[in-house]
């Protein structure tokens, strides 16, 4: 019977990664204990942008105490005895590094592109010019397709303060608004404040959601619960 070739398992460790310049950066990465410190730095470079030559590594235990500096690029990572849950801290030694200055995290530091209305009007290949061309070829396309009284009959039986249930979904809440919402679209709308903080428009503690559609809610004015 042929003997089986035994290949040792490549042990790995899960480390939490932090960075000296990137305060909001934190990642959990698996590392082979057999890989060299230099290989670990190459893996980290792809994650954070700090070059291998400008990177210094510090190892901290799960209680936050410093274990050691990983100062020999040729040694295997396992030489420094890291364990799952330990933290590997990257120190960027390059003052001109892409990670310095905070602009990778604070977008307010990044210069935004802006264009004046006059300059935009002079451009030919814009959405505004496209709309103008479509409107000139077919003026009726920009006319209102929804009448102002759309869904008025449905909303006539719904009053502010009614308890309701939304279908589909089964979410319950209270009617807070019934009427036109011209800034949204023509027709009549119903505003629902959910019992739970769900929805698109965050109100005070809970969320306020506007619905319109065929039979979107069911309500009973004299009921404390939805039907």
């Amino acid at each position: 019977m042929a003997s089986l070739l035994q290949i040792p398992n490549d042990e790995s460790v899960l480390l939490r990664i932090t960075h000296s310049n990137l305060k909001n950066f934190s990642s959990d990465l698996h590392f082979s204990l057999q890989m060299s410190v230099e290989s670990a730095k190459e893996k980290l470079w792809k994650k954070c942008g700090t070059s291998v030559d400008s990177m210094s590594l510090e190892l901290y235990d799960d209680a936050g105490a410093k274990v050691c500096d990983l100062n020999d690029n040729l040694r295997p990572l396992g030489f420094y005895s890291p364990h799952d849950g330990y933290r590997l801290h990257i120190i960027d030694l390059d003052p001109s590094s892409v990670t310095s200055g905070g602009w990778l995290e604070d977008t307010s530091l990044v210069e935004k592109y802006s264009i004046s209305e006059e300059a935009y009007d002079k451009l030919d290949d814009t959405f505004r010019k496209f709309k103008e061309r479509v409107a000139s070829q077919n003026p009726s396309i920009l006319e209102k397709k929804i009448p102002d009284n759309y869904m008025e009959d449905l909303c006539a039986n719904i009053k502010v303060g009614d308890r309701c249930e939304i279908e589909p979904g089964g979410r319950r809440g209270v009617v807070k608004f019934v009427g036109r919402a011209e800034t949204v679209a023509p027709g009549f709308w119903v505003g629902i404040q959910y019992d739970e903080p769900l929805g698109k428009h965050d109100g005070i503690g809970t969320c306020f959601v506007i619905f319109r559609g065929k039979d979107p809610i069911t309500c009973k004015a004299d009921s404390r619960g939805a039907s």
Side-chain angles (χ1 to χ4, degrees), residues 3-201:
S3 60
L4 296 176
L5 177 63
Q6 299 294 326
I7 301 177
N9 292 329
D10 185 16
E11 296 183 26
S12 65
V13 65
L14 180 64
L15 302 177
R16 186 165 64 90
I17 311 302
T18 56
H19 196 284
S20 60
N21 291 342
L22 305 176
K23 304 307 179 185
N24 295 324
F25 176 81
S26 180
S27 179
D28 292 331
L29 295 178
H30 282 279
F31 294 88
S32 167
L33 293 177
Q34 283 73 41
M35 74 189 312
S36 67
V37 170
E38 185 174 29
S39 297
K41 287 182 177 181
E42 289 176 352
K43 183 173 183 176
L44 293 169
W45 162 67
K46 297 174 183 178
K47 289 289 183 180
C48 68
T50 298
S51 67
V52 172
D53 293 336
S54 302
M55 187 185 300
S56 175
L57 297 179
E58 297 177 343
L59 184 65
Y60 292 81
D61 64 19
D62 49 7
K66 184 176 179 179
V67 177
C68 61
D69 294 312
L70 280 64
N71 48 21
D72 189 341
N73 283 344
L74 300 180
R75 287 193 180 276
L77 193 62
F79 172 81
Y80 297 96
S81 301
H83 296 282
D84 287 340
Y86 275 25
R87 178 168 65 93
L88 194 58
H89 184 60
I90 303 168
I91 299 177
D92 195 327
L93 304 175
D94 182 5
S96 60
S97 169
V98 294
T99 67
S100 63
W103 64 273
L104 285 180
E105 296 181 304
D106 186 356
T107 57
S108 66
L109 300 176
V110 181
E111 184 179 355
K112 308 298 189 299
Y113 175 77
S114 61
I115 185 172
S116 65
E117 285 291 324
E118 294 77 11
Y120 185 76
D121 281 334
K122 293 178 182 178
L123 299 176
D124 292 326
D125 192 16
T126 64
F127 182 67
R128 181 181 297 172
K129 291 295 176 62
F130 169 76
K131 285 177 61 179
E132 292 173 355
R133 288 195 298 269
V134 171
S136 64
Q137 296 168 5
N138 186 6
S140 63
I141 199 169
L142 297 181
E143 294 178 358
K144 284 184 179 180
K145 300 296 183 182
I146 302 176
D148 288 337
N149 64 344
Y150 182 67
M151 291 293 173
E152 183 178 9
D153 53 341
L154 173 67
C155 294
N157 299 320
I158 301 173
K159 299 189 298 297
V160 172
D162 285 356
R163 293 283 301 167
C164 59
E165 181 174 297
I166 313 301
E167 295 294 348
R171 297 172 180 169
R172 298 187 177 191
V174 180
V175 176
K176 292 293 184 178
F177 169 82
V178 180
R180 290 186 173 90
E182 296 179 359
T183 57
V184 179
F188 281 70
W189 296 74
V190 178
I192 308 298
Q193 186 177 36
Y194 284 151
D195 292 340
E196 299 175 348
L198 302 167
K200 297 180 180 179
H201 308 289

Side-chain angles (χ1 to χ4, degrees), residues 195-213:
D195 292 340
E196 299 175 348
L198 302 167
K200 297 180 180 179
H201 308 289
D202 197 358
I204 351 174
T206 56
C207 293
F208 186 69
V209 182
I210 291 180
F211 280 93
R212 187 181 62 184

